[in-house]
Amino acid sequence: MPRPGTSGGGHRSSGGHSSSRVGGGHHVGSSSRRPTGGSSFNRGPSFGGGYHHEPPPRPPRRGYYGYRRNTYTHSSSGLGTLIACIIIFAIIIFSFFMISNDHSDVTSTINREKIENPVAYDNNCIKDELGYIENQSKLSKNLKNFYTKTGIQPYIYLKSYDESLTSDNQKDEYAQTWYSENIDNEDTFLFVYFEEQNSNEIGYMAYVNGKQVTSVMDSEAIDIFWNYIDRYWTDSSLSTVDVFTKTFDSTAKTIMKKSTTSKDIIKIICIIVGIVIVIGGIIYILRMKFKRDKEKAKETIEILKTPLDKSDDLRDKYLNEEGKE
């Protein structure tokens, strides 16, 4: 039996909470972050430009005996140019990152550790009352990849229409109760699909986290899971086995890998800029010291080569004192 909604869907989302286990619900097409068509993180601050005022060169200092000392009038231009180049480079890198992520896939911003599940993977993890799943054995085998990457036992329950469940909250509570009565561990992620009275309509979907699961299947991970459900559920080219296989595989791959965000890029750029400025500053200081030492040595040589003026007062005084002796 084909699943409903392969031609599209668009419904509201909802959620729930239990004091014992975390759970909630979802309607296909209602994810807060769609997996395509936009960036999945908030944009960081934009960079601006500024005006750098360069002070005028100080008047040249006169040397002894009429010698004019050479002065370096661009003491800040080299470092200023370096800083400007770094800022331009940072803007280019940041802009490239933002553009490349305009149509990015779902991303994760949290580092998660695989759960050490004391229970081995259970192949008996599917209950299909609707006949949607074409090959349960194949799907059960495929779902092991989710267990291998996260340490979480997946369980899929496709429930037939129940007229006593008239609201999303009742369905959330039913999923919680079903977990308690049918699953004997706290390391399972339970997905429940509730058939609608009109079987052609996409039913309500709920999840329940075991008590040991929330460290991996947190709110962001759940949001990512629903995003993939939205992407694959209405794809008529996929079988139901493919839908669940791709959803759980994609979720595990995404949530167990921390994606680079705009904040990460800004942090990296700031570190690089800081290092380059420090290195550039050291090089600049050493260069200026070398230049000044060279100018001082040249000035000393020029002074020594400059002949004394015969009318020099100091020379006359010296000669007079020498004559008296």
Side-chain angles (χ1 to χ4, degrees):
M1 178 179 178
R3 66 186 181 278
T6 53
S7 61
H11 305 276
R12 63 184 176 83
S13 66
S14 60
H17 176 73
S18 168
S19 59
S20 57
R21 299 185 183 93
V22 175
H26 179 75
H27 285 280
V28 168
S30 61
S31 293
S32 59
R33 293 185 304 169
R34 295 293 298 173
T36 58
S39 174
S40 61
F41 54 84
N42 294 327
R43 295 183 182 273
S46 60
F47 291 90
Y51 173 71
H52 175 70
H53 175 70
E54 184 175 336
R58 65 178 185 272
R61 188 181 63 176
R62 295 184 180 275
Y64 296 103
Y65 306 106
Y67 171 71
R68 184 184 299 274
R69 181 183 178 184
N70 294 326
T71 57
Y72 184 69
T73 61
H74 300 285
S75 59
S76 63
S77 61
L79 186 59
T81 302
L82 176 64
I83 294 175
C85 291
I86 293 172
I87 292 176
I88 293 174
F89 174 76
I91 293 174
I92 293 173
I93 295 297
F94 184 76
S95 299
F96 176 79
F97 173 80
M98 296 297 291
I99 293 173
S100 65
N101 281 276
D102 279 344
H103 301 285
S104 63
D105 204 343
V106 181
T107 58
S108 172
T109 62
I110 300 173
N111 281 320
R112 301 174 177 87
E113 298 294 333
K114 177 181 176 180
I115 294 174
E116 296 299 328
N117 196 331
V119 182
Y121 178 72
D122 184 4
N123 288 306
N124 186 25
C125 58
I126 299 171
K127 183 176 182 180
D128 182 10
E129 298 177 352
L130 306 175
Y132 288 173
I133 299 175
E134 302 85 359
N135 188 330
Q136 291 194 27
S137 177
K138 179 181 179 180
L139 177 57
S140 177
K141 182 180 179 180
N142 294 346
L143 290 175
K144 188 175 182 180
N145 184 57
F146 180 82
Y147 172 87
T148 301
K149 290 186 176 180
T150 64
I152 298 172
Q153 171 70 49
Y155 199 108
I156 297 173
Y157 177 23
L158 306 183
K159 178 173 173 50
S160 60
Y161 174 68
D162 186 342
E163 62 181 7
S164 67
L165 303 176
T166 59
S167 69
D168 293 346
N169 286 336
Q170 288 178 328
K171 294 172 183 177
D172 287 334
E173 292 174 1
Y174 179 91
Q176 290 278 353
T177 301
W178 197 91
Y179 188 112
S180 299
E181 295 177 351
N182 295 274
I183 299 175
D184 60 0
N185 64 78
E186 296 297 338
D187 301 284
T188 296
F189 174 76
L190 171 65
F191 169 86
V192 184
Y193 174 87
F194 294 88
E195 183 185 29
E196 294 293 324
Q197 184 174 12
N198 180 352
S199 60
N200 292 322
E201 294 183 0
I202 302 177
Y204 180 74
M205 303 176 187
Y207 80 94
V208 180
N209 273 343
K211 295 178 182 178
Q212 306 302 321
V213 170
T214 308
S215 62
V216 173
M217 293 303 291
D218 49 42
S219 59
E220 182 185 69
I222 294 298
D223 197 17
I224 291 170
F225 176 81
W226 292 137
N227 274 310
Y228 285 121
I229 282 286
D230 285 353
R231 170 184 290 184
Y232 300 127
W233 186 272
T234 57
D235 187 344
S236 59
S237 68
L238 300 176
S239 67
T240 304
V241 171
D242 292 336
V243 168
F244 285 118
T245 297
K246 292 175 74 67
T247 295
F248 277 89
D249 283 354
S250 299
T251 298
K253 181 179 179 180
T254 301
I255 67 177
M256 300 309 289
K257 177 182 178 181
K258 186 177 183 298
S259 304
T260 303
T261 66
S262 58
K263 291 182 179 179
D264 295 327
I265 293 297
I266 293 174
K267 182 178 179 180
I268 293 172
I269 290 176
C270 289
I271 293 174
I272 294 175
V273 169
I275 293 174
V276 173
I277 289 177
V278 171
I279 295 176
I282 294 173
I283 294 174
Y284 176 77
I285 292 172
L286 293 175
R287 183 179 177 184
M288 290 299 99
K289 183 178 183 303
F290 175 78
K291 183 176 181 65
R292 289 170 183 170
D293 290 344
K294 185 177 180 180
E295 289 178 348
K296 186 176 180 181
K298 184 178 180 181
E299 179 182 351
T300 301
I301 293 173
E302 292 293 335
I303 293 174
L304 293 175
K305 289 182 177 179
T306 302
L308 293 174
D309 191 341
K310 293 183 180 180
S311 62
D312 184 86
D313 294 339
L314 181 60
R315 178 178 177 278
D316 292 342
K317 180 179 179 182
Y318 176 76
L319 293 173
N320 291 335
E321 290 179 355
E322 188 179 40
K324 291 178 180 180
E325 294 177 358

mmCIF file of all heavy atoms in Angstrom, residues 216-246:
data_model
loop_
_atom_site.group_PDB
_atom_site.id
_atom_site.type_symbol
_atom_site.label_atom_id
_atom_site.label_comp_id
_atom_site.label_asym_id
_atom_site.label_seq_id
_atom_site.Cartn_x
_atom_site.Cartn_y
_atom_site.Cartn_z
ATOM 1 N N VAL A 216 21.848 12.777 22.595
ATOM 2 C CA VAL A 216 22.099 12.758 21.147
ATOM 3 C C VAL A 216 20.890 13.294 20.391
ATOM 4 O O VAL A 216 21.007 14.185 19.552
ATOM 5 C CB VAL A 216 22.436 11.328 20.666
ATOM 6 C CG1 VAL A 216 22.521 11.283 19.143
ATOM 7 C CG2 VAL A 216 23.748 10.864 21.276
ATOM 8 N N MET A 217 19.725 12.759 20.672
ATOM 9 C CA MET A 217 18.500 13.227 20.001
ATOM 10 C C MET A 217 17.915 14.405 20.773
ATOM 11 O O MET A 217 16.821 14.335 21.343
ATOM 12 C CB MET A 217 17.502 12.079 19.867
ATOM 13 C CG MET A 217 17.944 10.973 18.929
ATOM 14 S SD MET A 217 18.320 11.565 17.249
ATOM 15 C CE MET A 217 16.685 12.010 16.669
ATOM 16 N N ASP A 218 18.665 15.497 20.820
ATOM 17 C CA ASP A 218 18.207 16.713 21.474
ATOM 18 C C ASP A 218 17.255 17.462 20.549
ATOM 19 O O ASP A 218 16.894 16.980 19.481
ATOM 20 C CB ASP A 218 19.396 17.586 21.869
ATOM 21 C CG ASP A 218 20.371 17.783 20.713
ATOM 22 O OD1 ASP A 218 19.907 18.005 19.572
ATOM 23 O OD2 ASP A 218 21.590 17.705 20.937
ATOM 24 N N SER A 219 16.858 18.663 20.945
ATOM 25 C CA SER A 219 15.866 19.411 20.173
ATOM 26 C C SER A 219 16.358 19.723 18.765
ATOM 27 O O SER A 219 15.601 19.666 17.795
ATOM 28 C CB SER A 219 15.487 20.708 20.893
ATOM 29 O OG SER A 219 16.634 21.524 21.103
ATOM 30 N N GLU A 220 17.645 20.050 18.633
ATOM 31 C CA GLU A 220 18.179 20.329 17.299
ATOM 32 C C GLU A 220 18.188 19.065 16.443
ATOM 33 O O GLU A 220 17.840 19.101 15.257
ATOM 34 C CB GLU A 220 19.597 20.890 17.404
ATOM 35 C CG GLU A 220 20.194 21.256 16.044
ATOM 36 C CD GLU A 220 21.647 21.693 16.128
ATOM 37 O OE1 GLU A 220 22.510 20.837 16.414
ATOM 38 O OE2 GLU A 220 21.925 22.890 15.911
ATOM 39 N N ALA A 221 18.587 17.946 17.038
ATOM 40 C CA ALA A 221 18.614 16.685 16.295
ATOM 41 C C ALA A 221 17.207 16.273 15.857
ATOM 42 O O ALA A 221 17.017 15.772 14.745
ATOM 43 C CB ALA A 221 19.243 15.591 17.161
ATOM 44 N N ILE A 222 16.225 16.498 16.722
ATOM 45 C CA ILE A 222 14.840 16.181 16.362
ATOM 46 C C ILE A 222 14.388 17.052 15.198
ATOM 47 O O ILE A 222 13.743 16.587 14.250
ATOM 48 C CB ILE A 222 13.907 16.380 17.569
ATOM 49 C CG1 ILE A 222 14.230 15.360 18.667
ATOM 50 C CG2 ILE A 222 12.446 16.259 17.147
ATOM 51 C CD1 ILE A 222 14.033 13.919 18.262
ATOM 52 N N ASP A 223 14.743 18.318 15.252
ATOM 53 C CA ASP A 223 14.393 19.231 14.163
ATOM 54 C C ASP A 223 15.022 18.762 12.848
ATOM 55 O O ASP A 223 14.393 18.814 11.789
ATOM 56 C CB ASP A 223 14.875 20.640 14.517
ATOM 57 C CG ASP A 223 14.216 21.712 13.658
ATOM 58 O OD1 ASP A 223 13.179 21.412 13.039
ATOM 59 O OD2 ASP A 223 14.735 22.838 13.617
ATOM 60 N N ILE A 224 16.265 18.307 12.932
ATOM 61 C CA ILE A 224 16.941 17.781 11.745
ATOM 62 C C ILE A 224 16.225 16.535 11.228
ATOM 63 O O ILE A 224 16.036 16.356 10.016
ATOM 64 C CB ILE A 224 18.415 17.479 12.064
ATOM 65 C CG1 ILE A 224 19.181 18.793 12.286
ATOM 66 C CG2 ILE A 224 19.082 16.664 10.956
ATOM 67 C CD1 ILE A 224 20.587 18.623 12.835
ATOM 68 N N PHE A 225 15.826 15.673 12.148
ATOM 69 C CA PHE A 225 15.096 14.455 11.766
ATOM 70 C C PHE A 225 13.807 14.802 11.013
ATOM 71 O O PHE A 225 13.509 14.235 9.962
ATOM 72 C CB PHE A 225 14.779 13.645 13.025
ATOM 73 C CG PHE A 225 13.956 12.417 12.772
ATOM 74 C CD1 PHE A 225 14.530 11.240 12.321
ATOM 75 C CD2 PHE A 225 12.575 12.429 12.990
ATOM 76 C CE1 PHE A 225 13.758 10.102 12.089
ATOM 77 C CE2 PHE A 225 11.800 11.307 12.765
ATOM 78 C CZ PHE A 225 12.396 10.135 12.304
ATOM 79 N N TRP A 226 13.057 15.763 11.531
ATOM 80 C CA TRP A 226 11.805 16.165 10.859
ATOM 81 C C TRP A 226 12.082 16.796 9.502
ATOM 82 O O TRP A 226 11.292 16.635 8.560
ATOM 83 C CB TRP A 226 11.012 17.135 11.732
ATOM 84 C CG TRP A 226 10.422 16.573 12.991
ATOM 85 C CD1 TRP A 226 10.417 17.163 14.229
ATOM 86 C CD2 TRP A 226 9.705 15.338 13.153
ATOM 87 N NE1 TRP A 226 9.779 16.374 15.146
ATOM 88 C CE2 TRP A 226 9.324 15.241 14.509
ATOM 89 C CE3 TRP A 226 9.375 14.288 12.288
ATOM 90 C CZ2 TRP A 226 8.621 14.147 15.002
ATOM 91 C CZ3 TRP A 226 8.672 13.198 12.793
ATOM 92 C CH2 TRP A 226 8.298 13.133 14.123
ATOM 93 N N ASN A 227 13.170 17.504 9.401
ATOM 94 C CA ASN A 227 13.528 18.086 8.103
ATOM 95 C C ASN A 227 13.717 17.004 7.038
ATOM 96 O O ASN A 227 13.265 17.143 5.902
ATOM 97 C CB ASN A 227 14.819 18.904 8.232
ATOM 98 C CG ASN A 227 14.565 20.326 8.687
ATOM 99 O OD1 ASN A 227 13.724 21.013 8.131
ATOM 100 N ND2 ASN A 227 15.277 20.766 9.709
ATOM 101 N N TYR A 228 14.389 15.949 7.422
ATOM 102 C CA TYR A 228 14.599 14.853 6.468
ATOM 103 C C TYR A 228 13.310 14.090 6.184
ATOM 104 O O TYR A 228 13.082 13.633 5.058
ATOM 105 C CB TYR A 228 15.692 13.913 6.971
ATOM 106 C CG TYR A 228 17.084 14.491 6.818
ATOM 107 C CD1 TYR A 228 17.915 14.676 7.925
ATOM 108 C CD2 TYR A 228 17.569 14.859 5.566
ATOM 109 C CE1 TYR A 228 19.182 15.214 7.783
ATOM 110 C CE2 TYR A 228 18.836 15.396 5.415
ATOM 111 C CZ TYR A 228 19.636 15.577 6.531
ATOM 112 O OH TYR A 228 20.899 16.118 6.386
ATOM 113 N N ILE A 229 12.464 13.966 7.187
ATOM 114 C CA ILE A 229 11.144 13.363 6.944
ATOM 115 C C ILE A 229 10.391 14.185 5.907
ATOM 116 O O ILE A 229 9.790 13.653 4.954
ATOM 117 C CB ILE A 229 10.324 13.278 8.256
ATOM 118 C CG1 ILE A 229 10.795 12.096 9.106
ATOM 119 C CG2 ILE A 229 8.836 13.158 7.957
ATOM 120 C CD1 ILE A 229 10.360 10.735 8.592
ATOM 121 N N ASP A 230 10.403 15.501 6.077
ATOM 122 C CA ASP A 230 9.726 16.389 5.125
ATOM 123 C C ASP A 230 10.294 16.234 3.716
ATOM 124 O O ASP A 230 9.563 16.286 2.723
ATOM 125 C CB ASP A 230 9.869 17.850 5.560
ATOM 126 C CG ASP A 230 8.962 18.208 6.729
ATOM 127 O OD1 ASP A 230 8.131 17.357 7.107
ATOM 128 O OD2 ASP A 230 9.099 19.322 7.254
ATOM 129 N N ARG A 231 11.595 16.091 3.638
ATOM 130 C CA ARG A 231 12.234 15.992 2.329
ATOM 131 C C ARG A 231 11.863 14.692 1.608
ATOM 132 O O ARG A 231 11.534 14.702 0.418
ATOM 133 C CB ARG A 231 13.757 16.068 2.476
ATOM 134 C CG ARG A 231 14.487 15.727 1.188
ATOM 135 C CD ARG A 231 15.991 15.722 1.377
ATOM 136 N NE ARG A 231 16.509 17.066 1.590
ATOM 137 C CZ ARG A 231 17.817 17.341 1.697
ATOM 138 N NH1 ARG A 231 18.696 16.355 1.614
ATOM 139 N NH2 ARG A 231 18.223 18.576 1.887
ATOM 140 N N TYR A 232 11.920 13.594 2.332
ATOM 141 C CA TYR A 232 11.798 12.292 1.674
ATOM 142 C C TYR A 232 10.370 11.735 1.631
ATOM 143 O O TYR A 232 10.045 10.964 0.721
ATOM 144 C CB TYR A 232 12.716 11.279 2.365
ATOM 145 C CG TYR A 232 14.174 11.656 2.322
ATOM 146 C CD1 TYR A 232 14.944 11.707 3.489
ATOM 147 C CD2 TYR A 232 14.804 11.969 1.119
ATOM 148 C CE1 TYR A 232 16.285 12.058 3.460
ATOM 149 C CE2 TYR A 232 16.146 12.332 1.077
ATOM 150 C CZ TYR A 232 16.884 12.368 2.254
ATOM 151 O OH TYR A 232 18.205 12.721 2.216
ATOM 152 N N TRP A 233 9.529 12.108 2.592
ATOM 153 C CA TRP A 233 8.211 11.491 2.679
ATOM 154 C C TRP A 233 7.370 11.725 1.420
ATOM 155 O O TRP A 233 6.678 10.833 0.943
ATOM 156 C CB TRP A 233 7.461 12.000 3.911
ATOM 157 C CG TRP A 233 6.143 11.291 4.140
ATOM 158 C CD1 TRP A 233 4.919 11.615 3.627
ATOM 159 C CD2 TRP A 233 5.943 10.116 4.917
ATOM 160 N NE1 TRP A 233 3.954 10.737 4.035
ATOM 161 C CE2 TRP A 233 4.556 9.791 4.838
ATOM 162 C CE3 TRP A 233 6.773 9.297 5.688
ATOM 163 C CZ2 TRP A 233 4.004 8.697 5.496
ATOM 164 C CZ3 TRP A 233 6.218 8.211 6.351
ATOM 165 C CH2 TRP A 233 4.855 7.917 6.243
ATOM 166 N N THR A 234 7.412 12.919 0.900
ATOM 167 C CA THR A 234 6.570 13.267 -0.255
ATOM 168 C C THR A 234 7.268 13.045 -1.594
ATOM 169 O O THR A 234 6.758 13.457 -2.633
ATOM 170 C CB THR A 234 6.130 14.738 -0.156
ATOM 171 O OG1 THR A 234 7.281 15.577 -0.064
ATOM 172 C CG2 THR A 234 5.251 14.965 1.064
ATOM 173 N N ASP A 235 8.428 12.408 -1.570
ATOM 174 C CA ASP A 235 9.148 12.103 -2.814
ATOM 175 C C ASP A 235 8.590 10.795 -3.385
ATOM 176 O O ASP A 235 8.888 9.702 -2.882
ATOM 177 C CB ASP A 235 10.643 11.977 -2.527
ATOM 178 C CG ASP A 235 11.466 11.830 -3.806
ATOM 179 O OD1 ASP A 235 10.879 11.524 -4.859
ATOM 180 O OD2 ASP A 235 12.704 12.023 -3.732
ATOM 181 N N SER A 236 7.805 10.910 -4.420
ATOM 182 C CA SER A 236 7.137 9.731 -4.981
ATOM 183 C C SER A 236 8.099 8.752 -5.641
ATOM 184 O O SER A 236 7.723 7.609 -5.930
ATOM 185 C CB SER A 236 6.078 10.176 -5.997
ATOM 186 O OG SER A 236 6.666 10.925 -7.042
ATOM 187 N N SER A 237 9.324 9.169 -5.878
ATOM 188 C CA SER A 237 10.300 8.268 -6.492
ATOM 189 C C SER A 237 10.897 7.299 -5.475
ATOM 190 O O SER A 237 11.598 6.351 -5.853
ATOM 191 C CB SER A 237 11.420 9.067 -7.160
ATOM 192 O OG SER A 237 12.204 9.740 -6.193
ATOM 193 N N LEU A 238 10.649 7.530 -4.198
ATOM 194 C CA LEU A 238 11.216 6.695 -3.147
ATOM 195 C C LEU A 238 10.189 5.726 -2.599
ATOM 196 O O LEU A 238 9.025 6.082 -2.391
ATOM 197 C CB LEU A 238 11.753 7.560 -1.997
ATOM 198 C CG LEU A 238 12.858 8.567 -2.335
ATOM 199 C CD1 LEU A 238 13.189 9.389 -1.104
ATOM 200 C CD2 LEU A 238 14.099 7.859 -2.861
ATOM 201 N N SER A 239 10.626 4.511 -2.329
ATOM 202 C CA SER A 239 9.769 3.563 -1.621
ATOM 203 C C SER A 239 9.757 3.944 -0.144
ATOM 204 O O SER A 239 10.584 4.747 0.311
ATOM 205 C CB SER A 239 10.304 2.139 -1.795
ATOM 206 O OG SER A 239 11.558 1.995 -1.133
ATOM 207 N N THR A 240 8.834 3.359 0.604
ATOM 208 C CA THR A 240 8.780 3.653 2.041
ATOM 209 C C THR A 240 10.047 3.159 2.731
ATOM 210 O O THR A 240 10.538 3.802 3.675
ATOM 211 C CB THR A 240 7.544 3.008 2.678
ATOM 212 O OG1 THR A 240 6.378 3.465 1.981
ATOM 213 C CG2 THR A 240 7.420 3.384 4.153
ATOM 214 N N VAL A 241 10.586 2.046 2.289
ATOM 215 C CA VAL A 241 11.862 1.567 2.826
ATOM 216 C C VAL A 241 12.951 2.610 2.595
ATOM 217 O O VAL A 241 13.738 2.927 3.497
ATOM 218 C CB VAL A 241 12.257 0.217 2.179
ATOM 219 C CG1 VAL A 241 13.689 -0.159 2.562
ATOM 220 C CG2 VAL A 241 11.300 -0.883 2.592
ATOM 221 N N ASP A 242 12.990 3.175 1.399
ATOM 222 C CA ASP A 242 13.991 4.203 1.087
ATOM 223 C C ASP A 242 13.784 5.455 1.937
ATOM 224 O O ASP A 242 14.757 6.079 2.371
ATOM 225 C CB ASP A 242 13.918 4.567 -0.394
ATOM 226 C CG ASP A 242 14.370 3.443 -1.303
ATOM 227 O OD1 ASP A 242 15.132 2.583 -0.844
ATOM 228 O OD2 ASP A 242 13.941 3.421 -2.479
ATOM 229 N N VAL A 243 12.531 5.832 2.137
ATOM 230 C CA VAL A 243 12.227 7.027 2.927
ATOM 231 C C VAL A 243 12.822 6.911 4.327
ATOM 232 O O VAL A 243 13.541 7.803 4.802
ATOM 233 C CB VAL A 243 10.704 7.267 3.017
ATOM 234 C CG1 VAL A 243 10.390 8.322 4.078
ATOM 235 C CG2 VAL A 243 10.152 7.708 1.676
ATOM 236 N N PHE A 244 12.534 5.818 5.007
ATOM 237 C CA PHE A 244 13.030 5.658 6.380
ATOM 238 C C PHE A 244 14.535 5.413 6.406
ATOM 239 O O PHE A 244 15.237 5.900 7.305
ATOM 240 C CB PHE A 244 12.279 4.533 7.086
ATOM 241 C CG PHE A 244 10.890 4.910 7.501
ATOM 242 C CD1 PHE A 244 9.785 4.252 6.989
ATOM 243 C CD2 PHE A 244 10.676 5.938 8.404
ATOM 244 C CE1 PHE A 244 8.492 4.606 7.369
ATOM 245 C CE2 PHE A 244 9.388 6.307 8.802
ATOM 246 C CZ PHE A 244 8.301 5.640 8.279
ATOM 247 N N THR A 245 15.046 4.677 5.438
ATOM 248 C CA THR A 245 16.490 4.438 5.383
ATOM 249 C C THR A 245 17.246 5.754 5.221
ATOM 250 O O THR A 245 18.197 6.043 5.958
ATOM 251 C CB THR A 245 16.841 3.506 4.212
ATOM 252 O OG1 THR A 245 16.220 2.230 4.409
ATOM 253 C CG2 THR A 245 18.353 3.314 4.112
ATOM 254 N N LYS A 246 16.823 6.566 4.262
ATOM 255 C CA LYS A 246 17.509 7.829 3.999
ATOM 256 C C LYS A 246 17.314 8.807 5.154
ATOM 257 O O LYS A 246 18.233 9.563 5.493
ATOM 258 C CB LYS A 246 16.996 8.434 2.685
ATOM 259 C CG LYS A 246 17.385 7.630 1.452
ATOM 260 C CD LYS A 246 16.767 8.181 0.185
ATOM 261 C CE LYS A 246 17.436 9.461 -0.270
ATOM 262 N NZ LYS A 246 18.819 9.253 -0.703
#
